Amino acid sequence: MEQNTGLWQKCDYVNVHILDIPYHVDRPYTYYLPPEIPCAARGCFVLVPFGNGNRHVIGVVTELIGAQKKQELGIVRGRCKPVFEIISEEFLLTEEMLSLCVYLKEMTFCTIGDAAKTVLPAGALRRLHKVYTLPEGAEETAMTVSEYAQYTSVERDILAAVAKRGSLRRDRLTSLFGAGAAAAADRMVQKGHLRRTAVLSEGENCAVREWVGLAAPRADAEAIVGGDRAAKARYGYRFRRDSYRALLERLLSHEGEAELSVLFEETGCTRAEAKELARLGLVSYRCEDAFRDPYRERVHTAVGEDPLSEEQSAAVAQLTALYETKKAQAALLFGVTGSGKTRVIRAMMDRVIADGRQVIMMVPEISLTPQSVAIFYAVYGDRAAVVHSGLSAGERLDVWRRARRGELDVVIGTRSAVFVPFDRLGMIVMDEEQEHTYKSDLSPKYHARDAARFRCAANEALLLLASATPSLESYYKAQRGLYSLVRLQNRYGGAALPEVVFADMQGAGVDKDGEVPLGTTLGEAIAQVTARGEQAILFINRRGYHKYLSCLSCKEPVMCPHCSVPMTLHRAGRRGEAGQTEDGTIAGVLVCHYCGTRQKPPMVCPSCGGGHLHAFGYGTQRAERELESRFPQLKTLRMDMDTTQGKLAHERILSGFRAHEADILLGTQMVTKGHDFPNVTLVGVLGADALIHQDDYRASERAFSLLTQVIGRAGRAQKPGRAIIQTYDVNNEILRYAAKQDYDAFYQSAVRMRQAMVFPPFCEMVLLTFVSEEEIEASHMAEEMYRRILSLTAEDGAYDDVRLAMFGPFEAQIYRLNEKYRMRIVIKCRMNRRTRMLFAAVMAEFSERSAGRVSIGIDVNPNTL
């Protein structure tokens, strides 16, 4: 560790925020640095003792305290605890990232620790593991027979396993003996028959490439290979194994260094043997970082770049003028589907990179990444990288390292890409900025747009939001002049928007499996376009085979045993059957899409015991089976959560469809946006009504966006496109707006409703959630917080200047989820400094009062209510 240079400084004390700590005690704690740790850095991670039991925890240093400040604060060494260890000298939070952590805490009411763990990639930090061992002198203080008899069979098994292995990690204990094993082991710790300690694991290792070359003069190496005893004696060569000699022979026969993995295959020489020869001075051995990038292994052929149209050139000029102000700017690039927004973004990226600055390009889903990768890798080569949750922890960590070293100009990725540690950040692009996946559902519950705005302000960079269907909030800001509005109103190359046909499903009929997924109009259109060698995309917003099973007698659906939601019927395996069979039973497997529970369909109704169960509705699996039955000569690729579990599965499916390995791409939202398939001339929407009739104020916005996007997948090249929307309500206003791709009319209608009902962007929505295994605990805690907020905001209350409207407490839409009950309070307010202070105070108070009995969460402007 360098001392007094760069970030590292000598100091006496440091303030540390603990990573895993409740909200009400999230504050800086002062520790002293022992002589063996002479310096520290803001943003470094340390191992420290915490609490009355001095348990080992990990924290992040947020302040360095020298001698002068120590006196000002009146710090007494005897009242402080020591820092045990600097965990990593490589993984530091920069000043910008530390400020971002504070910002996330203030805006989302998370802890600094939660924010820090979000900013860093998974695998960056070494983790603490609880380890159980026998106490010292266990042999001399063995249990009596009566003491041993008090333990259950599981506790005896734990003791035996710990005695046999010497130590056992808590996670391994749970995997061996079940979920209750950890609690059982803790009870034995309290009785003194086990000892519990904390051990730091190694972090995710950096991959390396190892090189070996000849270091000794060739004459000496040849003499040793030839068996010259004098030469061997000079170097201390006493090896008998042939692999040592084979390695020297191989190096003598080739000039320069060779990679150790190749040498091992050719000679059988191991790393240890190569290092031993290096110790004797016969060979050289060195390592270099080998950054893992699964996308770089693929060939990305550069395609001819279409010239900018007049409209695109005007958009680039407008954005360039904003960028060249060298001030933080935000712009909304609003263009119809197929207008060439990606081409405009590319031109802006070239401009920013030419200035020696860096670009983050965010996409909402992993499924959009392959297309972006193909475009940007072909242009930027080794200066581009990809980061998303589908990559391994090591691969994501390598992107972080390369970005920190300044080896990258462009990073393409999903929501987490906003935290890439660029120090010359010039622009952040959010493609399909309206997508809900940019909002995190886990603490901190941040929106990537807010984090991007913070980073652009800190770096005087350009924030570029792009969409064919902007969020109402973003378009509202553009209308008010808070964002610069840049429009593309025409498809590139004069391509026409697809013709849209509404297929009325009234009277479409049913078969033995219920509703028919494909109506006559869509079925005929599929036959026509595939006969011409063209392709089709079909969209249905539900996976599985049937939506649910229901009893014809009592009308009750088959519910998940752990959640208050109906289970979905799936095929049992890739080619398994599902649905009604000839003998009246139900084939397939029932799956809960929330907790993952799987079970066989029951023979009788669980509610009334009746034997008349029937499957209703359809999902992607049922639609796939229908296509296979009606068009056996066609190949269909299904793209949903069930088919994209494997690594890079999205890319394999999309690449296969692009290469015309299939005629039809059938899927959920993954197929609706961002994709450009020149041979797709038909889009079909199955079950459009389910998108519109949802109990949420954002339902119409989401439906319009999805339908507009998926319609825009057709006819993007020279061939005209057609979209067929299957619906029971052909006169629905939202469907009509989407068919015309008329965003402005939809916006005017939607924003009037939002204003009349006081929904965002005319207020902030705050959702308070209360989750507990005990139903009464969740309900009581919600009631108490409701009354507390009322008292604090009442006349003469501490926050009587805060105006808000509060609704609840009420049961969540899914009241029971994985054996836990959920209550909610919904609040409309203006989020300013005083409002944030109110929520911070309430969250701190109730975090302490809940004492682990109830989990309390807060979400500002949640995706759903």
Side-chain angles (χ1 to χ4, degrees):
M1 186 190 305
E2 297 181 16
Q3 302 194 11
N4 288 327
T5 61
L7 300 171
W8 297 92
Q9 299 178 29
K10 283 186 175 180
C11 58
D12 299 319
Y13 296 85
V14 291
N15 274 343
V16 174
H17 272 86
I18 308 303
L19 294 195
D20 297 302
I21 199 169
Y23 184 79
H24 66 279
V25 288
D26 182 35
R27 60 179 179 82
Y29 294 88
T30 303
Y31 291 85
Y32 72 84
L33 294 182
E36 61 271 21
I37 306 177
C39 53
R42 271 174 48 85
C44 73
F45 292 87
V46 293
L47 183 67
V48 294
F50 184 75
N52 293 333
N54 285 328
R55 60 188 177 93
H56 293 196
V57 296
I58 297 174
V60 58
V61 173
T62 54
E63 184 179 10
L64 307 180
I65 302 174
Q68 183 176 349
K69 189 160 188 179
K70 168 196 165 185
Q71 292 181 352
E72 293 175 0
L73 298 176
I75 296 173
V76 178
R77 187 181 183 92
R79 297 178 182 174
C80 296
K81 298 177 182 179
V83 171
F84 286 153
E85 183 181 345
I86 302 288
I87 290 179
S88 174
E89 298 175 22
E90 178 182 10
F91 299 109
L92 304 177
L93 296 179
T94 62
E95 291 294 330
E96 179 190 348
M97 290 303 175
L98 274 176
S99 299
L100 180 56
C101 289
V102 174
Y103 172 79
L104 291 175
K105 175 181 171 69
E106 292 176 352
M107 302 303 292
T108 69
F109 309 98
C110 68
T111 65
I112 291 291
D114 282 343
K117 288 185 290 186
T118 300
V119 166
L120 278 180
L125 290 178
R126 297 162 66 189
R127 295 180 180 176
L128 275 176
H129 294 281
K130 291 182 179 178
V131 175
Y132 296 93
T133 59
L134 292 176
E136 294 181 11
E139 294 78 6
E140 290 76 16
T141 60
M143 286 181 289
T144 64
V145 174
S146 60
E147 286 176 327
Y148 188 79
Q150 293 176 7
Y151 288 113
T152 64
S153 59
V154 171
E155 291 169 339
R156 293 169 190 167
D157 290 341
I158 291 171
L159 281 172
V162 172
K164 180 179 178 181
R165 301 173 187 225
S167 65
L168 202 60
R169 260 175 39 175
R170 189 183 184 92
D171 54 353
R172 179 61 176 157
L173 194 74
T174 302
S175 65
L176 285 174
F177 303 112
D186 289 339
R187 288 194 297 271
M188 287 188 279
V189 169
Q190 293 175 358
K191 294 182 179 180
H193 292 144
L194 280 182
R195 181 169 173 262
R196 184 180 58 218
T197 57
V199 175
L200 271 174
S201 68
E202 291 301 318
E204 189 69 31
N205 291 326
C206 180
V208 295
R209 297 180 68 185
E210 300 165 288
W211 298 89
V212 179
L214 192 63
R218 290 185 64 87
D220 289 353
E222 289 170 350
I224 290 174
V225 169
D228 187 307
R229 292 185 178 180
K232 289 182 178 181
R234 282 200 305 274
Y235 284 91
Y237 185 97
R238 301 183 179 86
F239 309 117
R240 295 178 180 273
R241 291 188 60 183
D242 291 339
S243 54
Y244 288 95
R245 180 167 52 81
L247 175 61
L248 292 175
E249 287 177 341
R250 167 63 173 78
L251 295 175
L252 284 168
S253 64
H254 293 75
E255 292 293 332
E257 295 178 318
E259 196 165 354
L260 181 59
S261 59
V262 176
L263 292 174
F264 175 75
E265 291 179 3
E266 295 180 355
T267 69
C269 183
T270 65
R271 178 188 294 108
E273 291 168 344
K275 287 184 174 181
E276 188 63 24
L277 289 177
R279 185 183 65 80
L280 299 180
L282 287 167
V283 302
S284 61
Y285 171 86
R286 66 179 180 87
C287 296
E288 64 179 24
D289 288 339
F291 293 114
R292 294 152 286 194
D293 187 346
Y295 289 96
R296 185 158 287 109
E297 299 170 1
R298 288 152 177 76
V299 177
H300 304 288
T301 306
V303 294
E305 190 170 71
D306 294 326
L308 290 169
S309 67
E310 183 176 343
E311 190 177 41
Q312 287 174 329
S313 297
V316 172
Q318 190 176 347
L319 292 170
T320 300
L322 289 173
Y323 168 73
E324 289 179 347
T325 63
K326 304 301 180 185
K327 297 179 181 179
Q329 301 280 359
L332 174 62
L333 178 59
F334 173 28
V336 299
T337 57
S339 59
K341 293 183 289 295
T342 302
R343 182 66 184 87
V344 172
I345 293 169
R346 263 283 330 282
M348 284 306 303
M349 291 171 74
D350 290 342
R351 174 67 184 85
V352 173
I353 292 170
D355 263 0
R357 302 182 75 182
Q358 298 156 316
V359 177
I360 294 172
M361 168 81 176
M362 285 192 285
V363 294
E365 296 180 8
I366 298 174
S367 61
L368 292 181
T369 308
Q371 180 171 315
S372 301
V373 167
I375 295 171
F376 297 116
Y377 267 54
V379 176
Y380 303 113
D382 289 343
R383 302 292 296 180
V386 176
V387 60
H388 57 69
S389 60
L391 301 180
S392 70
E395 288 164 343
R396 282 176 278 168
L397 203 55
D398 285 347
V399 174
W400 192 94
R401 286 189 174 106
R402 294 185 65 202
R404 190 67 178 267
R405 296 179 185 185
E407 297 175 6
L408 298 173
D409 294 326
V410 178
V411 168
I412 308 124
T414 48
R415 182 178 64 225
S416 60
V418 74
F419 302 118
V420 168
F422 279 152
D423 59 4
R424 294 178 283 108
L425 185 61
M427 181 171 71
I428 297 179
V429 180
M430 287 185 66
D431 197 17
E432 308 294 351
E433 67 86 27
Q434 80 285 353
E435 283 302 310
H436 68 91
T437 51
Y438 283 124
K439 177 72 188 294
S440 172
D441 292 326
L442 301 174
S443 181
K445 296 180 179 179
Y446 69 95
H447 197 294
R449 182 174 54 236
D450 298 327
R453 189 163 57 235
F454 178 92
R455 294 205 64 189
C456 287
N459 290 275
E460 297 184 333
L462 173 64
L463 172 60
L464 178 55
L465 311 175
S467 179
T469 55
S471 66
L472 262 66
E473 290 85 350
S474 292
Y475 197 65
Y476 179 74
K477 288 183 177 180
Q479 293 292 303
R480 296 180 62 199
L482 299 177
Y483 294 163
S484 297
L485 181 61
V486 181
R487 297 199 68 157
L488 298 173
Q489 302 189 59
N490 303 290
R491 279 194 154 189
Y492 184 82
L497 289 170
E499 172 197 4
V500 179
V501 175
F502 292 100
D504 192 346
M505 296 300 286
Q506 295 283 357
V510 296
D511 60 13
K512 71 179 183 67
D513 281 334
E515 297 176 71
V516 177
L518 297 180
T520 302
T521 304
L522 182 55
E524 291 174 351
I526 290 172
Q528 291 169 5
V529 299
T530 54
R532 296 194 299 264
E534 297 164 0
Q535 295 171 291
I537 291 177
L538 302 184
F539 163 57
I540 175 173
N541 200 34
R542 178 175 291 275
R543 62 188 176 103
Y545 198 89
H546 284 294
K547 290 168 66 174
Y548 60 92
L549 290 184
S550 184
C551 177
L552 298 180
S553 299
C554 69
K555 313 303 182 186
E556 289 293 324
V558 177
M559 305 292 286
C560 171
H562 309 293
C563 309
S564 55
V565 292
M567 302 188 80
T568 302
L569 186 66
H570 284 246
R571 285 180 178 178
R574 178 68 178 86
R575 291 295 171 186
E577 295 295 327
Q580 308 286 152
T581 61
E582 293 182 0
D583 62 4
T585 59
I586 306 292
V589 59
L590 287 172
V591 180
C592 176
H593 288 177
Y594 291 88
C595 72
T597 296
R598 301 172 69 89
Q599 65 183 40
K600 291 182 179 180
M603 299 295 291
V604 297
C605 173
S607 298
C608 71
H612 303 288
L613 289 172
H614 192 79
F616 291 88
Y618 56 84
T620 51
Q621 290 183 352
R622 169 81 196 288
E624 181 184 33
R625 176 59 63 87
E626 178 83 0
L627 289 167
E628 292 170 347
S629 174
R630 292 180 60 175
F631 306 101
Q633 77 281 12
L634 301 181
K635 173 70 182 297
T636 299
L637 285 174
R638 176 163 59 91
M639 190 173 185
D640 56 25
M641 190 177 294
D642 298 317
T643 63
T644 55
Q645 294 294 322
K647 186 175 182 179
L648 303 182
H650 300 82
E651 181 178 7
R652 285 192 292 272
I653 294 172
L654 295 172
S655 298
F657 187 65
R658 187 179 300 280
H660 209 152
E661 295 172 6
D663 305 285
I664 300 170
L665 178 62
L666 165 71
T668 52
Q669 295 185 29
M670 300 177 185
V671 305
T672 61
K673 46 194 171 288
H675 307 301
D676 190 353
F677 300 112
N679 201 40
V680 169
T681 58
L682 175 67
V683 162
V685 179
L686 285 63
D689 307 284
L691 298 172
I692 300 166
H693 304 299
Q694 296 181 17
D695 186 19
D696 191 275
Y697 75 94
R698 296 186 192 272
S700 63
E701 180 183 5
R702 291 200 185 101
F704 175 84
S705 176
L706 276 171
L707 291 170
T708 301
Q709 293 282 353
V710 74
I711 289 169
R713 298 313 105 201
R716 294 175 69 89
Q718 300 305 314
K719 302 173 185 177
R722 190 182 185 200
I724 298 176
I725 300 176
Q726 295 189 162
T727 176
Y728 291 92
D729 184 7
V730 295
N731 295 313
N732 184 274
E733 182 183 55
I734 304 302
L735 297 181
R736 292 289 171 181
Y737 286 145
K740 296 177 183 178
Q741 305 248 324
D742 192 348
Y743 179 86
D744 290 300
F746 164 75
Y747 171 79
Q748 292 299 330
S749 173
V751 83
R752 281 196 299 269
M753 185 279 291
R754 296 274 187 98
Q755 187 170 20
M757 302 297 292
V758 193
F759 281 115
F762 301 98
C763 73
E764 308 283 350
M765 301 292 292
V766 177
L767 177 64
L768 297 170
T769 58
F770 307 82
V771 182
S772 176
E773 294 179 355
E774 298 295 331
E775 186 174 11
I776 194 68
E777 291 277 7
S779 179
H780 283 177
M781 194 62 68
E783 290 283 356
E784 288 180 22
M785 183 176 282
Y786 180 86
R787 289 193 294 268
R788 180 60 173 154
I789 294 174
L790 281 181
S791 67
L792 287 172
T793 55
E795 188 175 355
D796 298 327
Y799 296 92
D800 58 359
D801 55 325
V802 175
R803 296 288 177 263
L804 49 80
M806 193 158 44
F807 307 89
F810 51 82
E811 297 177 0
Q813 192 170 20
I814 301 175
Y815 180 44
R816 187 167 62 104
L817 185 63
N818 205 12
E819 300 291 358
K820 294 182 179 179
Y821 297 90
R822 310 190 306 157
M823 295 292 293
R824 293 187 167 189
I825 296 173
V826 174
I827 299 174
K828 293 180 179 180
C829 62
R830 288 286 184 188
M831 192 60 73
N832 52 33
R833 184 180 64 86
R834 287 286 293 166
T835 310
R836 286 194 293 271
M837 288 175 63
L838 165 65
F839 287 123
V842 170
M843 287 298 294
E845 177 184 339
F846 279 81
S847 169
E848 184 174 12
R849 287 172 61 179
S850 63
R853 296 175 291 117
V854 181
S855 174
I856 302 175
I858 182 169
D859 194 354
V860 180
N861 293 325
N863 279 324
T864 59
L865 294 177

